[in-house]
Amino acid sequence: IILRYNPEKSILNVGTYAWITTASTGVGAVPFFFISDLNRKWLGVANALAGGMMTAASLGLIWQALEDEGVIGTSTGLDTGGH
């Protein structure tokens, strides 16, 4: 494995973005403390939106891995579950 330094992927940047993601998730859950009954139609819409966003994020990560590591590295990572 060849390690390349990339200032955009520093520990500080990754930690900062992880913290922002965690805080955003918590803030996004706050409205559900005040909603006691959610219409099943809107629950389906929310689940579809969330699923679409997760799919887009996964494909974006795969695309980035292909650019950084190539087909062999990406395939190996996908096959091993990223370990």
Side-chain angles (χ1 to χ4, degrees), residues 63-83:
W63 187 264
Q64 182 178 356
L66 284 168
E67 289 178 347
D68 290 348
E69 302 299 330
V71 174
I72 301 296
T74 301
S75 298
T76 303
L78 289 171
D79 289 343
T80 60
H83 295 282

Side-chain angles (χ1 to χ4, degrees), residues 6-72:
N6 184 345
E8 293 178 0
K9 297 178 185 175
S10 70
I11 291 174
L12 179 62
N13 280 352
V14 171
T16 301
Y17 295 139
W19 186 87
I20 291 170
T21 301
T22 302
S24 298
T25 301
V27 170
V30 169
F32 293 99
F33 287 114
F34 303 105
I35 299 173
S36 61
D37 186 29
L38 186 61
N39 185 334
R40 292 186 63 82
K41 173 187 171 186
W42 289 110
L43 183 61
V45 169
N47 283 334
L49 286 171
M53 286 185 217
M54 287 186 276
T55 301
S58 297
L59 292 174
L61 289 171
I62 291 170
W63 187 264
Q64 182 178 356
L66 284 168
E67 289 178 347
D68 290 348
E69 302 299 330
V71 174
I72 301 296

